Amino acid sequence: MGSLFGGYVDVRASLRVVGSVLKRIALAPLFPALVAIYYGESPLPFLAMFAVTAGIGVGLERLHPRTEIDHRETFLVVSLTWLVVPLVGTIPYLIAGQGTVADPVNALFESMSGFTTTGATVLGEISFDRHTRSILLWRQFTQWLGGMGLLVLMIAVLPELSVGGAQLMNEESPGLSIEKLTPRIRESAKVLWKIYLGFTLAAAALYYALHLAGLAPNMNLYNAVAHALTTLPTGGFSPEARSAEAFSPAAQWAIILFMIVAGTNFALYWYALRGSPERFVGNKEFRSYLGAMGVVGLLLAGLLFAGVGLGVVPTSVATIPGHTERALRHGLFQSVAVVTTTGYASMDFNTWDQSTQVILLFAMFLGGSAGSAAGSVKIVRWYVVQQTVARELFTTVHPEAVRPVRLSDAPIDEDTIRSVIVFVMTFLALFVASTVLVFLDGLRTGLDLSALEAASVAIATLGNVGPGFGLVGPMNSFLPFSDAAKLYMVVLMWIGRLEVLSVLVIFTPSFWRR
C-alpha cells in the first residue's frame, strides 16, 4: 500500500476519493448560477467555481486507480473533504467581490460556517444593496448541502463509495452512529437524503403558503426557499439582516416546527413511513430532546413574561395585549433554535438580561438528536453520561451488582460508553481552551470581550451553534475579530462538525504508523 511519513495510510487513494466528491460537488454552484440568470445577475462567480472544482476533482481522481479505502483512510477522506469543499466554496464570494466576504479570510470563514451549518457570519451588511440575490442564496445553499452530510450524499450517488460507506457515514454524521436503515448502505444514504429533501420542500411550501394567505407578508418565494434551505440543515443563515425577527408570528411558529423536525433523528421518520410511528413514543432520546427544549423554552418564556428582555415594566405585563403569546413564542423559538443549533433569532437576545443568557449558554451544549442535522454534544451523549454516573453511584453502594447502561431498553456496550465519555471530555476541554484563547486575542487586539462573550464564541463555533452574545449576538457578526482568531474559529467549526475525534485522530503519530 502507498504510504506517507513511512506509514500505513494510502494518501493518494484518499485524495482520489476526495476528487470524486469534488467532481460531483462542482454541480452545486449551477443552482445559484441559474438564480443569477433569472435575476439578471452575473453567473460568472458560480461558473468559475464549477470549472475550478471540476478540474481539481478530475485531477485528484487520476492520482490513483484504487477506489477502496480502509479504516484509517476513512478518517483522512472525511477530514479532507470537509476542509477542501469549504475552500472551493469561497470562489463565488471572492470573484463576486461584494462586501466583507471579498476578503479571503472572511470568505473562508463564511464558507466553512455555511457547509458546517454553523451559521456564524462575517457579513458586515446583509442586504440586497450590498450582495446579489444569487450570492446570498449560495450562502443558504452551502448549509443545505452540508446539513445531511456531503459524504452521505456522495454515497447515495457514487456506487464506488459503497465499499467503506458505512464508516464514512458514521465518521461524518452527528451522533453515536448512523443507523443502517436498509441492507445496503447506499440505499440507506438515499433514504436519508429523500427524507431531508422532502422536509425541505414541505418547509418551503408552508412558508410560502403563509405568505399567500396574508399571514407572513415578508415570506415571499425567495425568502421561503432561502429559509427552508437553512432550517432543515439547522444552519440559521438568513438573507434578512434581522434573521427570523423580520417575519410574522405565524412564520416564526412554522420555523419552530421545522427546527424541531430537523433536530430529530431522521431514522425515526423512516420507521414512521414504514408503519412504526410508535418508535417516536418509545425512543428515550426523542423524549429527552423534546423535554430539554420544553424546559429551556418555558424557563425563558417565564422570564420574558416577567418583562425580562421585552422592554416592559414587570408590574404591567399582564395588561399588554398578546404579551403571553409573545413571551411564549420568543422563549420557545430561542430554546429550539439553540438546542437544535439552528441559530435563528426571533428577536435580539442581547437585550435580555444575564440570567436568560446563561440559560441559553447552557442550552448551546445540549444539541439535538443523533442522526439529525444538529450540532454540539447531542442529547443522547448527555443521556449516556447521566446513566453512567447513576450506575457508578449505584455500584459504589452495591459493588457486586451488574447494572448495564441502557438506551431504549437496549444495553450499551462499554466501548461506546468509553467513546462518549472521551468525546464529552475532549469537547469540554477544547471549549475551555478556546474560551481562553479567544479572550486573550480580544485583549491583544483591543476588543472589549467579557468572559461570557468569549465563552459564547467558543461554543458557537465548536458546537456549530452560530450566534453568541454581545459582540457576536444574533444581529451582529464575527467580523471585528482578528484574522488569526477567525482562522482559529474556522478550525473549530471544522472539527466540531466532524465530532472532534474524527479530525484530531489524523494529527496523532499513531495514525500514520503501525
Side-chain angles (χ1 to χ4, degrees), residues 279-291 379-380 383 387 406-410:
R279 291 256 190 165
F280 282 96
V281 178
N283 189 276
K284 289 184 179 179
E285 180 194 19
F286 181 68
R287 298 202 303 267
S288 300
Y289 163 64
L290 292 182
I379 293 291
V380 67
Y383 181 84
Q387 290 293 307
R406 295 180 177 274
L407 180 64
S408 296
D409 298 326

PDB file of all heavy atoms in Angstrom, residues 279-291 379-380 383 387 406-410:
ATOM      1  N   ARG A 279     -42.347   4.309  17.356  1.00  0.00           N
ATOM      2  CA  ARG A 279     -40.924   4.466  17.680  1.00  0.00           C
ATOM      3  C   ARG A 279     -40.648   5.826  18.310  1.00  0.00           C
ATOM      4  O   ARG A 279     -39.749   5.968  19.126  1.00  0.00           O
ATOM      5  CB  ARG A 279     -40.087   4.318  16.409  1.00  0.00           C
ATOM      6  CG  ARG A 279     -40.068   2.918  15.825  1.00  0.00           C
ATOM      7  CD  ARG A 279     -38.747   2.243  16.138  1.00  0.00           C
ATOM      8  NE  ARG A 279     -38.593   1.005  15.401  1.00  0.00           N
ATOM      9  CZ  ARG A 279     -37.424   0.376  15.259  1.00  0.00           C
ATOM     10  NH1 ARG A 279     -36.340   0.899  15.785  1.00  0.00           N
ATOM     11  NH2 ARG A 279     -37.362  -0.758  14.604  1.00  0.00           N
ATOM     12  N   PHE A 280     -41.406   6.845  17.911  1.00  0.00           N
ATOM     13  CA  PHE A 280     -41.225   8.173  18.494  1.00  0.00           C
ATOM     14  C   PHE A 280     -41.519   8.139  19.993  1.00  0.00           C
ATOM     15  O   PHE A 280     -40.773   8.695  20.799  1.00  0.00           O
ATOM     16  CB  PHE A 280     -42.147   9.188  17.814  1.00  0.00           C
ATOM     17  CG  PHE A 280     -41.673   9.660  16.469  1.00  0.00           C
ATOM     18  CD1 PHE A 280     -42.139   9.072  15.304  1.00  0.00           C
ATOM     19  CD2 PHE A 280     -40.761  10.699  16.366  1.00  0.00           C
ATOM     20  CE1 PHE A 280     -41.708   9.504  14.068  1.00  0.00           C
ATOM     21  CE2 PHE A 280     -40.326  11.144  15.138  1.00  0.00           C
ATOM     22  CZ  PHE A 280     -40.796  10.539  13.969  1.00  0.00           C
ATOM     23  N   VAL A 281     -42.610   7.475  20.352  1.00  0.00           N
ATOM     24  CA  VAL A 281     -43.032   7.430  21.753  1.00  0.00           C
ATOM     25  C   VAL A 281     -42.048   6.621  22.591  1.00  0.00           C
ATOM     26  O   VAL A 281     -41.711   6.992  23.729  1.00  0.00           O
ATOM     27  CB  VAL A 281     -44.447   6.835  21.877  1.00  0.00           C
ATOM     28  CG1 VAL A 281     -44.863   6.747  23.333  1.00  0.00           C
ATOM     29  CG2 VAL A 281     -45.444   7.667  21.077  1.00  0.00           C
ATOM     30  N   GLY A 282     -41.561   5.537  22.055  1.00  0.00           N
ATOM     31  CA  GLY A 282     -40.683   4.654  22.817  1.00  0.00           C
ATOM     32  C   GLY A 282     -39.229   5.066  22.825  1.00  0.00           C
ATOM     33  O   GLY A 282     -38.419   4.459  23.544  1.00  0.00           O
ATOM     34  N   ASN A 283     -38.859   6.082  22.067  1.00  0.00           N
ATOM     35  CA  ASN A 283     -37.455   6.474  21.948  1.00  0.00           C
ATOM     36  C   ASN A 283     -37.081   7.450  23.071  1.00  0.00           C
ATOM     37  O   ASN A 283     -37.564   8.578  23.114  1.00  0.00           O
ATOM     38  CB  ASN A 283     -37.222   7.115  20.571  1.00  0.00           C
ATOM     39  CG  ASN A 283     -35.750   7.351  20.300  1.00  0.00           C
ATOM     40  OD1 ASN A 283     -35.182   8.349  20.707  1.00  0.00           O
ATOM     41  ND2 ASN A 283     -35.132   6.415  19.591  1.00  0.00           N
ATOM     42  N   LYS A 284     -36.216   7.013  23.985  1.00  0.00           N
ATOM     43  CA  LYS A 284     -35.841   7.850  25.123  1.00  0.00           C
ATOM     44  C   LYS A 284     -35.097   9.104  24.690  1.00  0.00           C
ATOM     45  O   LYS A 284     -35.236  10.166  25.299  1.00  0.00           O
ATOM     46  CB  LYS A 284     -34.989   7.043  26.104  1.00  0.00           C
ATOM     47  CG  LYS A 284     -35.775   5.991  26.863  1.00  0.00           C
ATOM     48  CD  LYS A 284     -34.910   5.294  27.891  1.00  0.00           C
ATOM     49  CE  LYS A 284     -35.726   4.258  28.666  1.00  0.00           C
ATOM     50  NZ  LYS A 284     -34.886   3.544  29.668  1.00  0.00           N
ATOM     51  N   GLU A 285     -34.285   8.982  23.656  1.00  0.00           N
ATOM     52  CA  GLU A 285     -33.557  10.151  23.167  1.00  0.00           C
ATOM     53  C   GLU A 285     -34.525  11.211  22.665  1.00  0.00           C
ATOM     54  O   GLU A 285     -34.374  12.406  22.970  1.00  0.00           O
ATOM     55  CB  GLU A 285     -32.600   9.755  22.040  1.00  0.00           C
ATOM     56  CG  GLU A 285     -31.820  10.932  21.482  1.00  0.00           C
ATOM     57  CD  GLU A 285     -31.126  10.625  20.165  1.00  0.00           C
ATOM     58  OE1 GLU A 285     -31.526   9.645  19.492  1.00  0.00           O
ATOM     59  OE2 GLU A 285     -30.212  11.371  19.801  1.00  0.00           O
ATOM     60  N   PHE A 286     -35.546  10.801  21.910  1.00  0.00           N
ATOM     61  CA  PHE A 286     -36.520  11.754  21.374  1.00  0.00           C
ATOM     62  C   PHE A 286     -37.286  12.430  22.507  1.00  0.00           C
ATOM     63  O   PHE A 286     -37.509  13.647  22.493  1.00  0.00           O
ATOM     64  CB  PHE A 286     -37.476  11.034  20.425  1.00  0.00           C
ATOM     65  CG  PHE A 286     -38.513  11.932  19.804  1.00  0.00           C
ATOM     66  CD1 PHE A 286     -38.145  12.909  18.891  1.00  0.00           C
ATOM     67  CD2 PHE A 286     -39.856  11.804  20.148  1.00  0.00           C
ATOM     68  CE1 PHE A 286     -39.100  13.746  18.315  1.00  0.00           C
ATOM     69  CE2 PHE A 286     -40.812  12.633  19.578  1.00  0.00           C
ATOM     70  CZ  PHE A 286     -40.431  13.608  18.662  1.00  0.00           C
ATOM     71  N   ARG A 287     -37.685  11.648  23.521  1.00  0.00           N
ATOM     72  CA  ARG A 287     -38.397  12.229  24.646  1.00  0.00           C
ATOM     73  C   ARG A 287     -37.507  13.202  25.413  1.00  0.00           C
ATOM     74  O   ARG A 287     -37.959  14.271  25.852  1.00  0.00           O
ATOM     75  CB  ARG A 287     -38.913  11.130  25.580  1.00  0.00           C
ATOM     76  CG  ARG A 287     -39.922  10.183  24.934  1.00  0.00           C
ATOM     77  CD  ARG A 287     -40.781   9.489  25.988  1.00  0.00           C
ATOM     78  NE  ARG A 287     -39.971   8.764  26.958  1.00  0.00           N
ATOM     79  CZ  ARG A 287     -39.646   7.471  26.845  1.00  0.00           C
ATOM     80  NH1 ARG A 287     -40.059   6.781  25.775  1.00  0.00           N
ATOM     81  NH2 ARG A 287     -38.942   6.872  27.776  1.00  0.00           N
ATOM     82  N   SER A 288     -36.235  12.858  25.571  1.00  0.00           N
ATOM     83  CA  SER A 288     -35.302  13.757  26.255  1.00  0.00           C
ATOM     84  C   SER A 288     -35.070  15.030  25.460  1.00  0.00           C
ATOM     85  O   SER A 288     -34.954  16.122  26.036  1.00  0.00           O
ATOM     86  CB  SER A 288     -33.966  13.045  26.489  1.00  0.00           C
ATOM     87  OG  SER A 288     -34.127  11.892  27.285  1.00  0.00           O
ATOM     88  N   TYR A 289     -35.018  14.879  24.153  1.00  0.00           N
ATOM     89  CA  TYR A 289     -34.828  16.018  23.237  1.00  0.00           C
ATOM     90  C   TYR A 289     -35.991  17.002  23.355  1.00  0.00           C
ATOM     91  O   TYR A 289     -35.788  18.211  23.559  1.00  0.00           O
ATOM     92  CB  TYR A 289     -34.699  15.457  21.818  1.00  0.00           C
ATOM     93  CG  TYR A 289     -34.890  16.412  20.673  1.00  0.00           C
ATOM     94  CD1 TYR A 289     -34.025  17.483  20.467  1.00  0.00           C
ATOM     95  CD2 TYR A 289     -35.922  16.211  19.742  1.00  0.00           C
ATOM     96  CE1 TYR A 289     -34.189  18.344  19.386  1.00  0.00           C
ATOM     97  CE2 TYR A 289     -36.091  17.050  18.664  1.00  0.00           C
ATOM     98  CZ  TYR A 289     -35.223  18.117  18.487  1.00  0.00           C
ATOM     99  OH  TYR A 289     -35.398  18.956  17.409  1.00  0.00           O
ATOM    100  N   LEU A 290     -37.217  16.487  23.294  1.00  0.00           N
ATOM    101  CA  LEU A 290     -38.384  17.358  23.446  1.00  0.00           C
ATOM    102  C   LEU A 290     -38.443  17.956  24.850  1.00  0.00           C
ATOM    103  O   LEU A 290     -38.771  19.141  25.026  1.00  0.00           O
ATOM    104  CB  LEU A 290     -39.666  16.577  23.163  1.00  0.00           C
ATOM    105  CG  LEU A 290     -39.900  16.118  21.725  1.00  0.00           C
ATOM    106  CD1 LEU A 290     -41.253  15.402  21.632  1.00  0.00           C
ATOM    107  CD2 LEU A 290     -39.852  17.272  20.738  1.00  0.00           C
ATOM    108  N   GLY A 291     -38.101  17.141  25.845  1.00  0.00           N
ATOM    109  CA  GLY A 291     -38.136  17.628  27.219  1.00  0.00           C
ATOM    110  C   GLY A 291     -37.142  18.749  27.467  1.00  0.00           C
ATOM    111  O   GLY A 291     -37.463  19.740  28.139  1.00  0.00           O
ATOM    112  N   ILE A 379     -28.021  15.270  22.659  1.00  0.00           N
ATOM    113  CA  ILE A 379     -28.828  14.814  23.792  1.00  0.00           C
ATOM    114  C   ILE A 379     -28.472  13.386  24.183  1.00  0.00           C
ATOM    115  O   ILE A 379     -28.367  13.048  25.377  1.00  0.00           O
ATOM    116  CB  ILE A 379     -30.329  14.889  23.441  1.00  0.00           C
ATOM    117  CG1 ILE A 379     -30.771  16.354  23.269  1.00  0.00           C
ATOM    118  CG2 ILE A 379     -31.167  14.195  24.508  1.00  0.00           C
ATOM    119  CD1 ILE A 379     -30.790  17.171  24.524  1.00  0.00           C
ATOM    120  N   VAL A 380     -28.258  12.507  23.212  1.00  0.00           N
ATOM    121  CA  VAL A 380     -28.023  11.095  23.518  1.00  0.00           C
ATOM    122  C   VAL A 380     -26.737  10.919  24.311  1.00  0.00           C
ATOM    123  O   VAL A 380     -26.649  10.050  25.192  1.00  0.00           O
ATOM    124  CB  VAL A 380     -27.996  10.248  22.226  1.00  0.00           C
ATOM    125  CG1 VAL A 380     -26.787  10.571  21.348  1.00  0.00           C
ATOM    126  CG2 VAL A 380     -28.032   8.756  22.561  1.00  0.00           C
ATOM    127  N   TYR A 383     -27.401  11.841  27.840  1.00  0.00           N
ATOM    128  CA  TYR A 383     -28.198  10.780  28.458  1.00  0.00           C
ATOM    129  C   TYR A 383     -27.288   9.625  28.897  1.00  0.00           C
ATOM    130  O   TYR A 383     -27.430   9.095  30.011  1.00  0.00           O
ATOM    131  CB  TYR A 383     -29.251  10.271  27.474  1.00  0.00           C
ATOM    132  CG  TYR A 383     -30.137   9.179  28.028  1.00  0.00           C
ATOM    133  CD1 TYR A 383     -31.254   9.488  28.792  1.00  0.00           C
ATOM    134  CD2 TYR A 383     -29.842   7.844  27.794  1.00  0.00           C
ATOM    135  CE1 TYR A 383     -32.057   8.493  29.319  1.00  0.00           C
ATOM    136  CE2 TYR A 383     -30.642   6.829  28.308  1.00  0.00           C
ATOM    137  CZ  TYR A 383     -31.751   7.161  29.063  1.00  0.00           C
ATOM    138  OH  TYR A 383     -32.542   6.155  29.586  1.00  0.00           O
ATOM    139  N   GLN A 387     -26.655   8.362  32.713  1.00  0.00           N
ATOM    140  CA  GLN A 387     -26.889   6.975  33.101  1.00  0.00           C
ATOM    141  C   GLN A 387     -25.619   6.317  33.637  1.00  0.00           C
ATOM    142  O   GLN A 387     -25.679   5.488  34.555  1.00  0.00           O
ATOM    143  CB  GLN A 387     -27.410   6.185  31.891  1.00  0.00           C
ATOM    144  CG  GLN A 387     -28.818   6.563  31.459  1.00  0.00           C
ATOM    145  CD  GLN A 387     -29.855   6.173  32.492  1.00  0.00           C
ATOM    146  OE1 GLN A 387     -29.932   5.035  32.929  1.00  0.00           O
ATOM    147  NE2 GLN A 387     -30.641   7.147  32.924  1.00  0.00           N
ATOM    148  N   ARG A 406     -28.421   1.457  29.699  1.00  0.00           N
ATOM    149  CA  ARG A 406     -29.368   1.125  28.639  1.00  0.00           C
ATOM    150  C   ARG A 406     -29.859   2.377  27.926  1.00  0.00           C
ATOM    151  O   ARG A 406     -29.970   3.449  28.528  1.00  0.00           O
ATOM    152  CB  ARG A 406     -30.570   0.356  29.193  1.00  0.00           C
ATOM    153  CG  ARG A 406     -30.213  -0.997  29.758  1.00  0.00           C
ATOM    154  CD  ARG A 406     -31.423  -1.733  30.304  1.00  0.00           C
ATOM    155  NE  ARG A 406     -31.080  -3.058  30.785  1.00  0.00           N
ATOM    156  CZ  ARG A 406     -31.023  -4.140  30.010  1.00  0.00           C
ATOM    157  NH1 ARG A 406     -31.310  -4.033  28.721  1.00  0.00           N
ATOM    158  NH2 ARG A 406     -30.690  -5.319  30.513  1.00  0.00           N
ATOM    159  N   LEU A 407     -30.164   2.205  26.662  1.00  0.00           N
ATOM    160  CA  LEU A 407     -30.785   3.250  25.864  1.00  0.00           C
ATOM    161  C   LEU A 407     -31.961   2.624  25.133  1.00  0.00           C
ATOM    162  O   LEU A 407     -31.776   1.723  24.310  1.00  0.00           O
ATOM    163  CB  LEU A 407     -29.790   3.846  24.853  1.00  0.00           C
ATOM    164  CG  LEU A 407     -30.330   4.957  23.945  1.00  0.00           C
ATOM    165  CD1 LEU A 407     -30.717   6.185  24.759  1.00  0.00           C
ATOM    166  CD2 LEU A 407     -29.278   5.344  22.898  1.00  0.00           C
ATOM    167  N   SER A 408     -33.189   3.084  25.434  1.00  0.00           N
ATOM    168  CA  SER A 408     -34.406   2.488  24.872  1.00  0.00           C
ATOM    169  C   SER A 408     -34.428   0.988  25.099  1.00  0.00           C
ATOM    170  O   SER A 408     -34.669   0.196  24.181  1.00  0.00           O
ATOM    171  CB  SER A 408     -34.524   2.829  23.381  1.00  0.00           C
ATOM    172  OG  SER A 408     -34.683   4.220  23.206  1.00  0.00           O
ATOM    173  N   ASP A 409     -34.073   0.576  26.330  1.00  0.00           N
ATOM    174  CA  ASP A 409     -34.105  -0.824  26.786  1.00  0.00           C
ATOM    175  C   ASP A 409     -33.014  -1.696  26.189  1.00  0.00           C
ATOM    176  O   ASP A 409     -32.922  -2.880  26.523  1.00  0.00           O
ATOM    177  CB  ASP A 409     -35.476  -1.465  26.495  1.00  0.00           C
ATOM    178  CG  ASP A 409     -36.598  -0.761  27.248  1.00  0.00           C
ATOM    179  OD1 ASP A 409     -36.348  -0.301  28.377  1.00  0.00           O
ATOM    180  OD2 ASP A 409     -37.715  -0.661  26.695  1.00  0.00           O
ATOM    181  N   ALA A 410     -32.178  -1.149  25.325  1.00  0.00           N
ATOM    182  CA  ALA A 410     -31.067  -1.922  24.762  1.00  0.00           C
ATOM    183  C   ALA A 410     -29.788  -1.558  25.511  1.00  0.00           C
ATOM    184  O   ALA A 410     -29.490  -0.375  25.706  1.00  0.00           O
ATOM    185  CB  ALA A 410     -30.908  -1.622  23.277  1.00  0.00           C
TER     186      ALA A 410
END
